[in-house]
Amino acid sequence: MDADSGGHNAIAHPLMGDVADDRTTLEADAQRLVQQLWNLLSEADSRKAERIWVHSMLDATDSIEKLGKMERNLGVQRSVAYQQGAAMAAMKKIRLEILHGSGSEEGLDELEIPERDTPRLDLQLTHGHRMGVYKTTSRVLIESVFYDPSWEKVPPEERTIVMAHKANGFNAKPQPPALRLLKCLGFFEKKTDRSSEGFSFVYLVPEPTEGLDPAITPSERNVMTLNGLLLLSIRAAKKSKVDQYMTQPILCDKFQLASMLADFLAEFHTIGWLHENFHSNNIVFFNMPPGLKDNGISPVTSGILHQPFIVGLNKSRPGGKGWHTQGPSAETDFLDYRHPAYQQTGHFRVGYDYYSLGVMLLEIGLWVPLSVIACLSEYHTMSPSELRNMLVTRYVPRLGCKMGRIYQEVVYVLLSDRLDPNPEREFVDHRQESLAFSHFVEDVVGPLNRLASNII
């Protein structure tokens, strides 16, 4: 169905004058037949077909008007796949509105949190993340975008509108399940007497899931990161009487987490966004099982890996240039997740997110944080390229006996620029990046989905 054009042409029936009724009947019959064909696919093939279908539609246009029409046409359909496609069209439309400074401002003022309602912040960071309580009952995570000199050329009113668009950018419903993002409640600006210090986005922490203690108060519900889980396992394994195999997650849970991270990146890139800060401290979990914070993860508690959320969107941006598109901060503690070519180009590419995913999949497979590897005396003075080569030649081969040949090959593809053979190019090559995305879906997302589904 061509959602961009409305999907149908008027067909005149030779015997009936009511063309509209004819078309409605034809549409219903066509949708029924398509659904019957769709039902013949396996669950994995169905997800793959949906992703290719949505990506092909969204990749075909950068017209805000056409994306709006696509959103409306798909949104009235009963199929969940169509409705999720409508939501992704809306997200890409907002991304383009941010880039071009256009779009409706209706309702955006509701996203700016007044000073009297700004969250009460925790005194200390939790695994590098700022938590707080919003309106006395809601546990929230706060991410900030700090002032940059390039803002001076943008009027303050326009900055606020852009931040409102960004706050609203991922709230379209129904959110595709692979897009593991927290709901953004709004944003607020921190000002001094003379200028702005930046903007902060407020994200709602999900409610406790079934089986966890719902009596935990909002102020007690903290965040745990993937990096934190990896470090907890290292510390737990050093305890004298702890079986090292009891500080590791179950293999299928590792596959599930790896697959979900790849699915997220595919959806995120489909709507035209780059993460730019994709590392294991920005993969977060909430509502930890009892004892996990003290003893680390175990085969009993590793089901928590099925509920990741991706944060760190303060550096994320629409593909393209703009005043709000600064890349990863030079002060971050996670520089080793960046592609080595980033320092040469100074511009972020789609393939750089793929590289960061590869580093995380290496960590998940070995269940060792990159920080432990990179701080070894023989490695900590290496250049980014030397560190990458060391990971590929020395550590990726170790994945075979722990995760299997297929997983090992996926990580090798991500870390060795097989998806995007020319990462040092100065200018964006949309054709090359679209081709890299196709290879990513085929050579990374597909194999990981099959591993997670236990069908290999």
Side-chain angles (χ1 to χ4, degrees):
M1 180 183 297
D2 183 2
D4 189 48
S5 63
H8 306 280
N9 296 315
I11 301 176
H13 195 286
L15 301 178
M16 299 177 64
D18 194 341
V19 175
D21 286 347
D22 253 4
R23 186 172 62 182
T24 300
T25 301
L26 183 60
E27 287 175 348
D29 288 343
Q31 288 188 12
R32 178 177 53 81
L33 292 171
V34 169
Q35 188 61 50
Q36 289 176 354
L37 290 172
W38 205 275
N39 292 340
L40 296 176
L41 298 175
S42 67
E43 183 178 351
D45 286 338
S46 178
R47 288 200 304 268
K48 179 180 177 181
E50 287 175 4
R51 176 174 291 113
I52 293 173
W53 170 63
V54 172
H55 184 265
S56 64
M57 286 193 302
L58 299 187
D59 195 47
T61 182
D62 278 333
S63 165
I64 293 174
E65 181 181 355
K66 289 183 178 179
L67 287 166
K69 182 183 292 187
M70 190 184 302
E71 176 191 358
R72 293 190 295 273
N73 289 340
L74 294 175
V76 298
Q77 305 298 326
R78 288 185 296 177
S79 167
V80 174
Y82 285 171
Q83 292 174 6
Q84 291 174 355
M88 293 185 71
M91 293 177 196
K92 182 173 180 180
K93 179 166 70 74
I94 291 173
R95 167 238 171 190
L96 291 170
E97 290 170 348
I98 293 174
L99 281 177
H100 301 307
S102 60
S104 171
E105 298 176 21
E106 182 180 355
L108 292 182
D109 56 336
E110 298 176 4
L111 290 167
E112 186 170 10
I113 298 172
E115 185 176 358
R116 66 178 182 276
D117 290 333
T118 55
R120 176 170 52 83
L121 305 181
D122 293 357
L123 295 178
Q124 296 181 331
L125 298 178
T126 305
H127 296 285
H129 294 283
R130 177 67 69 189
M131 304 288 291
V133 177
Y134 179 59
K135 293 187 175 180
T136 72
T137 58
S138 297
R139 189 63 165 155
V140 293
L141 181 145
I142 298 97
E143 295 188 333
S144 298
V145 179
F146 297 107
Y147 174 81
D148 186 276
S150 63
W151 292 12
E152 290 296 336
K153 61 185 179 183
V154 181
E157 298 80 9
E158 186 175 335
R159 297 179 209 161
T160 302
I161 292 171
V162 170
M163 290 300 170
H165 275 302
K166 187 171 182 180
N168 192 43
F170 306 114
N171 282 348
K173 298 296 182 184
Q175 187 181 78
L179 209 59
R180 303 286 303 178
L181 298 172
L182 299 172
K183 176 179 175 58
C184 186
L185 299 177
F187 71 99
F188 60 92
E189 184 175 10
K190 186 175 181 180
K191 298 180 180 179
T192 63
D193 293 338
R194 296 184 177 180
S195 63
S196 170
E197 291 186 1
F199 294 84
S200 293
F201 296 87
V202 180
Y203 296 94
L204 182 66
V205 169
E207 290 296 318
T209 55
E210 185 178 355
L212 297 178
D213 184 3
I216 297 176
T217 64
S219 61
E220 294 173 321
R221 292 166 54 202
N222 279 327
V223 64
M224 174 61 72
T225 68
L226 175 58
N227 185 65
L229 289 175
L230 294 167
L231 290 171
L232 280 175
S233 290
I234 295 292
R235 293 166 189 157
K238 291 180 179 179
K239 293 181 180 179
S240 58
K241 295 184 179 180
V242 174
D243 182 345
Q244 63 172 323
Y245 295 104
M246 295 305 293
T247 63
Q248 298 273 328
I250 296 175
L251 181 61
C252 63
D253 292 335
K254 287 185 177 183
F255 286 147
Q256 184 68 35
L257 175 60
S259 178
M260 294 178 78
L261 296 182
D263 280 343
F264 163 79
L265 206 54
E267 301 284 67
F268 203 61
H269 287 175
T270 291
I271 57 176
W273 283 76
L274 305 174
H275 192 284
E276 299 200 13
N277 229 5
F278 206 39
H279 55 68
S280 59
N281 214 53
N282 280 334
I283 311 301
V284 301
F285 308 87
F286 299 97
N287 307 311
M288 294 294 101
L292 187 144
K293 288 197 292 184
D294 296 324
N295 303 314
I297 204 163
S298 73
V300 177
T301 60
S302 67
I304 191 68
L305 299 183
H306 292 224
Q307 295 296 323
F309 289 91
I310 288 78
V311 297
L313 301 183
N314 50 332
K315 293 296 181 184
S316 300
R317 65 176 177 88
K321 291 185 177 181
W323 65 271
H324 57 289
T325 63
Q326 289 77 31
S329 168
E331 299 176 358
T332 179
D333 293 329
F334 297 90
L335 293 177
D336 290 331
Y337 292 77
R338 297 196 315 192
H339 192 287
Y342 179 75
Q343 291 185 346
Q344 301 174 33
T345 65
H347 301 290
F348 207 85
R349 303 283 180 257
V350 168
Y352 297 177
D353 270 345
Y354 297 153
Y355 178 84
S356 300
L357 173 65
V359 175
M360 280 193 285
L361 296 193
L362 179 66
E363 292 180 305
I364 292 168
L366 300 177
W367 206 248
V368 174
L370 179 63
S371 59
V372 171
I373 297 173
C375 75
L376 296 176
S377 59
E378 58 183 307
Y379 304 142
H380 75 271
T381 59
M382 286 184 172
S383 68
S385 293
E386 291 171 334
L387 180 63
R388 190 261 292 270
N389 291 337
M390 180 274 297
L391 294 177
V392 170
T393 59
R394 187 172 298 186
Y395 284 88
V396 171
R398 301 182 188 185
L399 290 170
C401 62
K402 294 179 72 72
M403 303 294 289
R405 178 184 57 81
I406 293 173
Y407 189 95
Q408 178 184 342
E409 178 63 20
V410 164
V411 177
Y412 176 77
V413 164
L414 289 167
L415 293 182
S416 60
D417 293 334
R418 287 260 298 273
L419 298 175
D420 186 358
N422 185 23
E424 296 89 2
R425 62 182 177 276
E426 183 177 355
F427 301 104
V428 175
D429 183 337
H430 294 291
R431 181 179 178 278
Q432 180 60 43
E433 295 204 339
S434 182
L435 188 61
F437 178 86
S438 298
H439 289 313
F440 176 68
V441 171
E442 188 68 29
D443 299 336
V444 175
V445 176
L448 290 176
N449 283 171
R450 292 192 290 274
L451 286 172
S453 303
N454 296 312
I455 61 174
I456 290 184

